[in-house]
Amino acid sequence: MSKIGELLVQQGKISERDVERTLLAQNEMGGLFGQVLVKLGLVSDLDVAQALSTQLDIPLRSAADYPAEVIRLDGVSQDFLFSNAVVPVAATDDVVTFAATVPQDPFIAKALSMAMDRPAAVELGLESDINKALERYLEAAEEGEEDGLSDQFSGQSDDEFIEHLRDLASEAPVIRLVNQIIHRAVDMGASDIHIEPFEDGLHLRYRVDGVLQDSPEAPAPSLAPAIASRIKLLSHMNIAERRLPQDGRIMTRVKGHELDLRVSTIPTVHGESIVMRVLDRGSIRLSLTDMGFSDDTLARYQTLINRPHGVLLMTGPTGSGKTTTLYASLASLDSEKLKIITVEDPVEYQLQGVNQIQVQSQIELSFARALRAILRQDPDIIMIGEMRDTETAQIGVQSALTGHLVLSTLHTNTAASAITRLEDMGVERFLITSSVNGVLAQRLVRTLCKHCKQEVALEPETIRRYGLQPFLREGQTTIFQARGCEQCLDSGYAGRSAIHELFILDEAMHRVIMSGADATLLHAAARKQGMITLYEDGLRKVVAGKTSLEEVMRVTQDQTESEDEAIASAAQRAEVDAPAA
């Protein structure tokens, strides 16, 4: 009998080299050969299932052949079905047919036959199809509990209430369901998991490449308390407290990925809403060249991080990759010859050779207090997770003036507005010009799926309207747009890349800042000095075929609304004001 790898090679699905790579990965990750192939993205789970069906001579049950109504069987426990990923799909007086992900396991058929006291036939099923069937099975088991959780707990003491919650969270179906939710996030490459109770039921959503996507496989509403209790147990929260917000953390390993889940719960009118931020330690890119920098922007940015002292700021909204860019910046420096200390809330990733401090508000270890202590540690480079208040900003500026390179983040829309933000925080303009080297504004745009991106012709009106002409190559008349396929979950996009706006404070900019210019004037003056805006950097990626025009407009629309008029009038004022400075 041919091995599954040989079958797939014969079918032209994979190469001999792919088989060797998979065997090496299997030695490290463990698991079945076919499962490892799917994890590596070399073939689909359907390809593996069809090959396995041929190899074992076991029928493969298609998704359409699963029964609409749940088949209940006396003697077969729900825990057994969930633990072994097996579900009943047909039943007659003579035999009961089951679908399983591992039908070749003789224990499954033997155990089922003994439990039912009649023959059991086991067919092959896709994991996704079996999970959906098991979820329907679970929902059916929960039907009839109309009065919800409150009736279950009525008359119980506090200790009994907590014990009941622990029992709920420790049941095998609930454990499996929570694991499936987390596994699904890894498969989708999601950054956040949202579990939200509403009047019409429990909603499950994943944020993929910065955009929320509804999951059609939302759990039954009656399972909400059990799911919340399970997640709270894993993240070391108080499972009995459902009236106050709580924060926790789960460290786990899923499909070869070291995951750090930051868990947040808040009480809502329909129950507890849970959000889990997914930090995949294995997927972080700590190389500036992988961050999406344009060549000219990267070259100028690297000159700033190699300066011996001064402040370098990163700006952008939450989730724009500021911290990741700071980590990549630190990773590009020589930590063996430099003393690098960071103050973060929280410490997201641990860096080799870098002293990282976690802010602890409960013991009053704030950014400002940690910074004062850092200055006595003889640092060369200081990274401040975020300049949140006046005291932190002022200490950061003073640190730069005393010979340290300070990297930090600010929440502003444009690079130029970071200057006015520092002034609002109480830092004088003469201190800003003396200490700040530059400001990098950043956004993340989704990159087009390489399997389905579609070429479209550019109309002259489109080129004029969006200002594409300066970035088009000679003779170029087409760009790409998103279409959607199975590989990218029909979104048209796969992964994200950054676009940047680098505002460098040179002598000319110092004069404009000292003249009292506002953020609009500063932005106009920087453009006059040759600064590429976020929108323009996005257009460069559109022309290069990396992203779509619609995606750049979505991400930078706050920058582009009436930009031409604002810039034109601001530039005129800058010409008048700059000589007077």
Side-chain angles (χ1 to χ4, degrees):
M1 181 166 54
S2 176
K3 290 183 179 178
I4 190 168
E6 294 171 358
L7 276 172
L8 290 167
V9 171
Q10 290 168 12
Q11 294 168 8
K13 302 288 186 182
I14 57 174
S15 65
E16 295 281 1
R17 174 67 182 143
D18 292 332
V19 173
E20 293 172 11
R21 285 170 54 201
T22 307
L23 288 170
L24 288 172
Q26 186 183 23
N27 288 335
E28 289 186 18
M29 298 163 59
L32 298 173
F33 183 84
Q35 293 172 341
V36 178
L37 271 174
V38 174
K39 287 176 189 174
L40 292 176
L42 296 172
V43 291
S44 69
D45 52 355
L46 180 59
D47 291 332
V48 171
Q50 288 170 341
L52 190 62
S53 174
T54 303
Q55 180 196 9
L56 300 174
D57 196 22
I58 293 176
L60 172 63
R61 179 150 296 241
S62 68
D65 292 336
Y66 283 77
E69 296 294 322
V70 170
I71 298 172
R72 289 279 168 206
L73 298 169
D74 293 331
V76 180
S77 75
Q78 187 172 279
D79 287 358
F80 179 86
L81 297 178
F82 275 85
S83 299
N84 294 280
V86 58
V87 66
V89 290
T92 65
D93 292 337
D94 299 324
V95 66
V96 180
T97 305
F98 295 82
T101 56
V102 191
Q104 64 268 37
D105 185 349
F107 163 76
I108 293 177
K110 190 172 182 180
L112 289 169
S113 297
M114 289 177 65
M116 298 182 301
D117 201 21
R118 56 175 161 162
V122 184
E123 295 181 354
L124 176 62
L126 291 178
E127 186 179 1
S128 56
D129 294 338
I130 289 173
N131 286 342
K132 287 176 186 175
L134 286 172
E135 210 162 295
R136 289 199 298 272
Y137 199 94
L138 199 57
E139 287 173 14
E142 296 292 330
E143 281 179 7
E145 296 183 11
E146 298 290 334
D147 297 331
L149 194 64
S150 56
D151 285 350
Q152 297 179 39
F153 294 147
S154 59
Q156 291 185 342
S157 67
D158 287 347
D159 288 343
E160 290 172 331
F161 169 72
I162 293 170
E163 200 56 43
H164 194 151
L165 280 174
R166 288 189 187 279
D167 289 343
L168 271 176
S170 301
E171 290 176 359
V174 174
I175 292 172
R176 185 174 181 84
L177 186 54
V178 171
N179 288 345
Q180 283 174 3
I181 291 171
I182 296 172
H183 285 213
R184 177 71 173 151
V186 173
D187 292 339
M188 295 174 70
S191 61
D192 299 87
I193 306 167
H194 294 247
I195 304 169
E196 306 159 307
F198 289 105
E199 191 173 2
D200 61 343
L202 194 63
H203 291 205
L204 175 62
R205 299 194 289 175
Y206 297 93
R207 189 177 294 279
V208 181
D209 293 335
V211 178
L212 277 173
Q213 295 184 8
D214 279 305
S215 171
E217 303 168 9
S222 56
L223 289 173
I227 291 170
S229 297
R230 175 64 186 166
I231 292 171
K232 284 180 174 181
L233 271 181
L234 290 172
S235 51
H236 306 290
M237 295 183 192
N238 180 358
I239 63 171
E241 181 55 78
R242 295 184 292 159
R243 303 161 301 166
L244 294 173
Q246 293 189 70
D247 293 305
R249 184 175 180 181
I250 302 172
M251 302 287 288
T252 185
R253 186 176 179 87
V254 175
K255 296 184 176 181
H257 295 255
E258 289 286 348
L259 288 192
D260 185 352
L261 302 174
R262 302 290 164 79
V263 185
S264 170
T265 69
I266 57 168
T268 70
V269 291
H270 298 294
E272 284 186 288
S273 175
I274 300 171
V275 174
M276 292 186 276
R277 165 65 59 90
V278 183
L279 299 174
D280 185 349
R281 294 180 178 276
S283 68
I284 185 172
R285 296 174 299 178
L286 290 180
S287 169
L288 284 173
T289 54
D290 294 336
M291 296 299 297
F293 278 94
S294 300
D295 292 341
D296 55 347
T297 305
L298 179 59
R300 286 184 292 156
Y301 180 72
Q302 285 179 321
T303 62
L304 293 180
I305 62 173
N306 287 320
R307 289 189 183 179
H309 53 80
V311 176
L312 179 55
L313 295 171
M314 200 77 51
T315 73
T318 302
S320 59
K322 300 186 300 295
T323 305
T324 305
T325 301
L326 282 182
Y327 277 134
S329 302
L330 292 178
S332 70
L333 299 169
D334 189 350
S335 61
E336 290 186 8
K337 294 181 180 177
L338 297 168
K339 174 82 168 183
I340 304 174
I341 307 180
T342 73
V343 192
E344 305 168 65
D345 184 20
V347 174
E348 294 190 6
Y349 300 99
Q350 294 176 18
L351 300 174
Q352 183 70 33
V354 176
N355 297 276
Q356 295 173 269
I357 301 171
Q358 167 80 52
V359 168
Q360 307 272 6
S361 55
Q362 64 271 24
I363 57 171
E364 298 182 356
L365 179 58
S366 62
F367 278 107
R369 187 170 181 181
L371 275 173
R372 288 195 204 93
I374 281 176
L375 292 174
R376 295 191 289 271
Q377 288 279 311
D378 185 30
D380 295 298
I381 298 168
I382 301 168
M383 194 268 265
I384 307 168
E386 183 185 342
M387 285 192 177
R388 294 180 181 174
D389 52 55
T390 299
E391 193 176 7
T392 305
Q394 290 178 337
I395 297 173
V397 167
Q398 292 295 336
S399 301
L401 292 173
T402 54
H404 305 93
L405 180 63
V406 179
L407 310 180
S408 189
T409 67
L410 268 181
H411 285 285
T412 61
N413 288 330
T414 63
S417 58
I419 304 303
T420 51
R421 175 76 180 117
L422 284 176
E423 191 178 19
D424 291 341
M425 294 170 77
V427 182
E428 298 287 347
R429 287 204 172 211
F430 72 89
L431 288 175
I432 294 173
T433 56
S434 304
S435 60
V436 180
N437 294 336
V439 184
L440 183 75
Q442 178 171 302
R443 300 287 189 280
L444 292 176
V445 293
R446 292 180 293 171
T447 51
L448 288 166
C449 173
K450 62 183 179 182
H451 298 284
C452 67
K453 65 179 182 179
Q454 189 172 30
E455 197 169 15
V456 290
L458 279 171
E459 299 292 333
E461 172 59 22
T462 303
I463 295 174
R464 186 198 62 77
R465 182 182 174 191
Y466 294 105
L468 282 164
Q469 189 60 56
F471 307 103
L472 291 170
R473 298 185 300 276
E474 187 176 349
Q476 183 178 358
T477 58
T478 60
I479 57 174
F480 289 89
Q481 68 179 13
R483 190 177 69 180
C485 66
E486 189 181 81
Q487 298 283 340
C488 59
L489 305 175
D490 288 320
S491 68
Y493 299 95
R496 286 189 290 178
S497 182
I499 56 175
H500 301 96
E501 177 178 293
L502 183 58
F503 177 77
I504 296 178
L505 277 72
D506 54 15
E507 287 187 17
M509 290 312 307
H510 289 170
R511 288 195 295 272
V512 179
I513 292 169
M514 291 306 296
S515 71
D518 61 14
T520 308
L521 277 172
L522 290 170
H523 185 76
R527 288 200 69 186
K528 198 174 176 184
Q529 292 287 102
M531 181 182 79
I532 298 292
T533 67
L534 285 165
Y535 177 63
E536 290 168 339
D537 196 35
L539 291 184
R540 295 201 286 192
K541 286 183 167 54
V542 170
V543 167
K546 294 178 182 177
T547 189
S548 68
L549 194 54
E550 293 80 9
E551 178 67 6
V552 170
M553 293 301 296
R554 179 185 73 83
V555 171
T556 64
Q557 60 187 350
D558 60 328
Q559 312 295 318
T560 55
E561 290 174 358
S562 305
E563 188 182 68
D564 291 339
E565 293 83 353
I567 295 301
S569 60
Q572 289 172 0
R573 282 179 285 159
E575 287 177 9
V576 174
D577 292 348

